[in-house]
Amino acid sequence: MNKEKQTKANKYFKRFFWAVFLFYLLILIKIVLLKDTDLSAVPKFLTGEKKGFRSFNLIPFQTFLNFSRIAGSGNFLWSISNLLGNSLIFLPFGYLLALLKSPKISKRKILFLSALLSLFFETSQYVFYLGSADIDDLLLNVLGAAAGILCFHILTALCRNDLHRIYLISLILGLLSFAGAGAIAYVEFGSRLGLVHYKSTVIGGEDIQKKSLVILVTLCPEVTESSAAPATQMRPSAILLS
């Protein structure tokens, strides 16, 4: 392919990937910000007419410690998938912006934009009662964007800065990733995307789906009185995690 045709093809590739990036942002908003909220109910949340569950954590690495304890209790894969999920979901953000960026946009600016977007998500979740606002989620999101930038630079080095080849390989990798992520999203996040619906139970103001419910049963002492002597019985206590 001569340089003129290659340059023209690269322009079409760039437009295509900008469209992909915009589509990715819409999916990101649905999964992260709206979660299980139906689109028809969004105006009610924005006006305060309807309120869901909200919480916040401003202590760095607190969520990491909590998930490490859960992993130690036998739910290792569940804990790792939650932590990695918050990072991997922002990996395309860093990769695509690194692919589409102009020379004026540095890696630091891309990371700054990812932090701003994550901060917008976390703040909106708390303000509009759409979920949990967590400083650790922001850290994981930025880490995912950094991983995306790293992946792009590794590919650039392997392709020896050949932009046309980078676009082609990015397209192939994107299609494979989309197919894999689509399958995972359907199973794990289908309800957030509106693809599937699960029965749910409202516990303590939070809508907990039965599919993703994890119950850790602990034994708590409960002292009862008897006419003969005090006896200690073990009472099961359930901790529910969505």
Side-chain angles (χ1 to χ4, degrees), residues 138-160:
L138 190 151
L139 295 176
L140 287 169
N141 293 161
V142 174
L143 184 62
I149 296 173
L150 178 62
C151 290
F152 171 76
H153 282 286
I154 291 175
L155 179 61
T156 300
L158 293 175
C159 294
R160 298 179 180 179

Side-chain angles (χ1 to χ4, degrees), residues 153-193:
H153 282 286
I154 291 175
L155 179 61
T156 300
L158 293 175
C159 294
R160 298 179 180 179
N161 293 316
D162 186 337
L163 184 59
H164 187 70
R165 185 179 298 178
I166 292 171
Y167 278 138
L168 284 174
I169 295 178
S170 296
L171 177 61
I172 295 172
L173 292 177
L175 291 174
L176 293 175
S177 300
F178 183 79
I184 296 173
Y186 183 84
V187 175
E188 297 296 333
F189 305 104
S191 62
R192 297 186 179 185
L193 293 171

Side-chain angles (χ1 to χ4, degrees), residues 6-235:
Q6 194 174 71
T7 301
K8 188 176 181 179
N10 287 345
K11 289 182 179 179
Y12 286 118
F13 269 128
K14 191 166 188 177
R15 293 174 185 174
F16 170 77
F17 280 110
W18 270 117
V20 169
F21 180 71
L22 294 176
F23 177 73
Y24 159 76
L25 289 180
L26 292 176
I27 297 298
L28 194 63
I29 290 172
K30 175 59 180 172
I31 294 177
V32 177
L33 186 57
L34 299 180
K35 295 184 179 178
D36 301 310
T37 304
D38 292 332
L39 294 178
S40 59
V42 171
K44 294 182 179 180
F45 279 99
L46 295 178
T47 58
E49 182 180 349
K50 185 176 181 180
K51 293 183 179 181
F53 165 80
R54 76 174 183 179
S55 65
F56 71 95
N57 170 47
L58 297 178
I59 304 176
F61 308 113
Q62 182 64 42
T63 301
F64 299 154
L65 294 175
N66 291 338
F67 276 115
S68 66
R69 295 190 189 101
I70 295 172
S73 66
N75 293 278
F76 179 79
L77 292 178
W78 183 85
S79 301
I80 294 299
S81 65
N82 275 272
L83 291 175
L84 286 180
N86 277 317
S87 291
L88 293 179
I89 202 170
F90 261 70
L91 189 148
F93 185 90
Y95 184 91
L96 289 172
L97 278 187
L99 176 66
L100 298 168
K101 73 179 180 68
S102 66
K104 296 180 181 180
I105 301 179
S106 64
K107 290 177 286 187
R108 290 184 180 181
K109 287 183 179 180
I110 294 176
L111 292 178
F112 179 71
L113 289 174
S114 69
L116 279 182
L117 181 61
S118 180
L119 181 62
F120 167 75
F121 285 153
E122 298 303 312
T123 303
S124 298
Q125 286 182 99
Y126 184 77
V127 172
F128 298 111
Y129 289 84
L130 293 170
S132 301
D134 195 327
I135 185 66
D136 289 335
D137 286 348
L138 190 151
L139 295 176
L140 287 169
N141 293 161
V142 174
L143 184 62
I149 296 173
L150 178 62
C151 290
F152 171 76
H153 282 286
I154 291 175
L155 179 61
T156 300
L158 293 175
C159 294
R160 298 179 180 179
N161 293 316
D162 186 337
L163 184 59
H164 187 70
R165 185 179 298 178
I166 292 171
Y167 278 138
L168 284 174
I169 295 178
S170 296
L171 177 61
I172 295 172
L173 292 177
L175 291 174
L176 293 175
S177 300
F178 183 79
I184 296 173
Y186 183 84
V187 175
E188 297 296 333
F189 305 104
S191 62
R192 297 186 179 185
L193 293 171
L195 300 175
V196 293
H197 299 281
Y198 303 111
K199 294 181 179 179
S200 60
T201 303
V202 177
I203 300 178
E206 181 176 4
D207 191 29
I208 299 177
Q209 294 183 11
K210 291 183 178 179
K211 178 180 180 298
S212 59
L213 186 64
V214 176
I215 301 178
L216 306 178
V217 179
T218 59
L219 295 178
C220 303
E222 179 180 341
V223 179
T224 59
E225 294 182 357
S226 65
S227 57
T232 301
Q233 297 181 350
M234 301 304 289
R235 175 174 56 85

